[in-house]
Amino acid sequence: ESGEFHVIVVAENVPGGKSQSAKWASPWAGAHWRAWATNTDRELQAMETQTYRAMLAIAAKTPEAGIHVAPGLDLFETAPEEPPWYASIVDDACELSAEQLPAGVAYGLQYTTLLIDVPIYLEYLSRRFTLSGGAIVNRYIGHILDAVQYAPKQPPARATAPIIVNCTGLGSRSLGGVRDNAVYPSRGQTIVVNAPNAKRSITQLGSRFGYVIPRGNGTVILGGTADKHQWDCEPDPQVTQMIIRQCLELEPELLPANARTLDTNAKARMLGENIVSVNVGLRPMRDGGVRLESQTMCSGCDKVFTVVHCYGHGGFGYQSSLAYADKVFALVTEAAGTVLNS
């Protein structure tokens, strides 16, 4: 959008494609803004704060983007030693009183969060990108330097050689020229249900991990699991039942008011009848955290390229995405200046 670069995205999976791999986590996410950073991780705090503010602006100005403001509630099994850092940056933060806490919960924080209807949001980003002059090529590439063949033959004056941005997520584990063994999957199974009465995002943290994320269109994402180093992409029916029962405890509004006097099994059956889909996605985790850096690579004997890496965001991709995009742009701009001055 700055007009400084001609950008081409080359990807095996693209928004709106007929089939999406579970290894591309983006279309399977909830998603919502809920801080991942700890109270001591200042760098990720800054990323999540910047993205929170930017997404609030998108929600206010561009409703067709698929981002909606909604009440959020975080429930902690163990009370933190001090309030979560994000309590000071989110809108309308309020701690729950002891009387308001559900059974088995020691601390709760409610605040204004952001719900992201990911199919709509991904289409919005694609449309915004192409309308700004970008191009999308739906291709699989096996080696990082294979991306060079898709670069424009006459790059703009700002960059005299192609600059490759590697944001392949879990693919960075097997991508030739990268093969980062620190990357691994965290398997997440979720359910999409019709539940138009559910309006708030709820996350439970502790030995029981679960979440309820409305998409703003009457459907709700229920989760979930976080099974590290698990590659199985087939839904587990037992896990589906576990998610249904746990989420019914978190949010009674998943069922109509006249169904709330039913016994637990009857409630689970009723919600099960409203399932739209059961999904599995693999979050792109990385030992050591996100890889965000520039690297010089050689192709052949005399061709040198800059590669900017940005991958390993695990479960905090959406809620930090816009800030990381700015970081990538800064690295690309720096690389372009180095090329021009060399």
Side-chain angles (χ1 to χ4, degrees), residues 40-201:
T40 58
D41 189 344
R42 306 300 183 198
E43 182 176 352
L44 184 53
Q45 288 178 18
M47 297 289 196
E48 293 183 328
T49 299
Q50 180 181 337
T51 302
Y52 179 77
R53 293 300 174 193
M55 285 189 168
L56 279 176
I58 292 174
K61 299 177 182 178
T62 317
E64 66 272 19
I67 299 179
H68 310 281
V69 172
L73 176 61
D74 292 350
L75 302 173
F76 295 77
E77 185 179 285
T78 302
E81 294 182 1
E82 56 186 36
W85 67 271
Y86 55 95
S88 64
I89 67 100
V90 293
D91 293 344
D92 309 311
C94 179
E95 294 181 340
L96 297 189
S97 66
E99 293 74 22
Q100 293 174 304
L101 294 174
V105 173
Y107 177 86
L109 181 72
Q110 58 186 13
Y111 57 96
T112 293
T113 188
L114 293 147
L115 308 178
I116 306 164
D117 188 338
V118 292
I120 293 177
Y121 184 58
L122 291 172
E123 290 280 5
Y124 159 75
L125 291 177
S126 298
R127 185 169 60 253
R128 179 174 161 183
F129 173 68
T130 54
L131 289 175
S132 298
I136 299 175
V137 178
N138 188 190
R139 295 286 188 279
Y140 166 82
I141 60 173
H143 194 284
I144 185 68
L145 293 179
D146 290 345
V148 175
Q149 66 185 294
Y150 298 100
K153 301 304 179 183
Q154 295 181 331
R158 185 62 193 264
T160 58
I163 297 170
I164 301 170
V165 177
N166 171 32
C167 50
T168 55
L170 196 58
S172 288
R173 182 178 176 88
S174 58
L175 182 63
V178 181
R179 298 194 185 281
D180 189 342
N181 288 328
V183 174
Y184 65 92
S186 174
R187 180 185 181 277
Q189 180 168 323
T190 61
I191 308 168
V192 182
V193 297
N194 279 315
N197 292 333
K199 303 296 184 183
R200 59 180 179 170
S201 169

Side-chain angles (χ1 to χ4, degrees), residues 12-25:
E12 180 182 11
N13 296 283
V14 297
K18 293 183 179 180
S19 62
Q20 306 291 3
S21 169
K23 296 179 181 179
W24 182 40

Side-chain angles (χ1 to χ4, degrees), residues 1-341:
E1 288 181 323
S2 70
E4 298 179 60
F5 301 99
H6 183 182
V7 183
I8 300 175
V9 171
V10 183
E12 180 182 11
N13 296 283
V14 297
K18 293 183 179 180
S19 62
Q20 306 291 3
S21 169
K23 296 179 181 179
W24 182 40
S26 296
W28 309 112
H32 61 166
W33 189 99
R34 202 210 72 79
W36 187 284
T38 64
N39 277 9
T40 58
D41 189 344
R42 306 300 183 198
E43 182 176 352
L44 184 53
Q45 288 178 18
M47 297 289 196
E48 293 183 328
T49 299
Q50 180 181 337
T51 302
Y52 179 77
R53 293 300 174 193
M55 285 189 168
L56 279 176
I58 292 174
K61 299 177 182 178
T62 317
E64 66 272 19
I67 299 179
H68 310 281
V69 172
L73 176 61
D74 292 350
L75 302 173
F76 295 77
E77 185 179 285
T78 302
E81 294 182 1
E82 56 186 36
W85 67 271
Y86 55 95
S88 64
I89 67 100
V90 293
D91 293 344
D92 309 311
C94 179
E95 294 181 340
L96 297 189
S97 66
E99 293 74 22
Q100 293 174 304
L101 294 174
V105 173
Y107 177 86
L109 181 72
Q110 58 186 13
Y111 57 96
T112 293
T113 188
L114 293 147
L115 308 178
I116 306 164
D117 188 338
V118 292
I120 293 177
Y121 184 58
L122 291 172
E123 290 280 5
Y124 159 75
L125 291 177
S126 298
R127 185 169 60 253
R128 179 174 161 183
F129 173 68
T130 54
L131 289 175
S132 298
I136 299 175
V137 178
N138 188 190
R139 295 286 188 279
Y140 166 82
I141 60 173
H143 194 284
I144 185 68
L145 293 179
D146 290 345
V148 175
Q149 66 185 294
Y150 298 100
K153 301 304 179 183
Q154 295 181 331
R158 185 62 193 264
T160 58
I163 297 170
I164 301 170
V165 177
N166 171 32
C167 50
T168 55
L170 196 58
S172 288
R173 182 178 176 88
S174 58
L175 182 63
V178 181
R179 298 194 185 281
D180 189 342
N181 288 328
V183 174
Y184 65 92
S186 174
R187 180 185 181 277
Q189 180 168 323
T190 61
I191 308 168
V192 182
V193 297
N194 279 315
N197 292 333
K199 303 296 184 183
R200 59 180 179 170
S201 169
I202 306 174
T203 303
Q204 182 172 8
L205 301 160
S207 60
R208 297 183 68 191
F209 171 60
Y211 48 86
V212 176
I213 308 175
R215 276 191 163 169
N217 62 358
T219 63
V220 181
I221 303 291
L222 308 181
T225 61
D227 305 317
K228 292 184 177 181
H229 302 285
Q230 295 298 313
W231 292 87
D232 182 11
C233 296
E234 289 298 316
D236 183 333
Q238 291 185 334
V239 172
T240 297
Q241 290 304 310
M242 179 273 292
I243 291 172
I244 286 175
R245 291 173 181 271
Q246 182 171 333
C247 289
L248 279 169
E249 292 181 17
L250 287 176
E251 180 54 282
E253 296 288 339
L254 289 169
L255 293 177
N258 60 8
R260 291 171 203 162
T261 58
L262 298 174
D263 63 44
T264 300
N265 291 334
K267 288 179 180 179
R269 286 194 299 270
M270 179 174 285
L271 188 57
E273 292 171 357
N274 291 326
I275 290 177
V276 176
S277 64
V278 180
N279 306 315
V280 173
L282 303 179
R283 304 177 185 92
M285 313 296 288
R286 182 174 184 271
D287 290 329
V290 174
R291 184 184 183 188
L292 178 65
E293 64 179 353
S294 297
Q295 178 185 13
T296 300
M297 300 186 74
C298 298
S299 175
C301 300
D302 57 353
K303 294 182 179 179
V304 178
F305 301 98
T306 296
V307 177
V308 175
H309 298 282
C310 185
Y311 62 86
H313 298 82
F316 57 89
Y318 280 102
Q319 67 216 47
S320 61
S321 57
L322 300 180
Y324 272 106
D326 281 350
K327 291 287 187 182
V328 167
F329 180 72
L331 288 173
V332 168
T333 301
E334 179 183 353
T338 300
V339 169
L340 286 173
N341 295 326

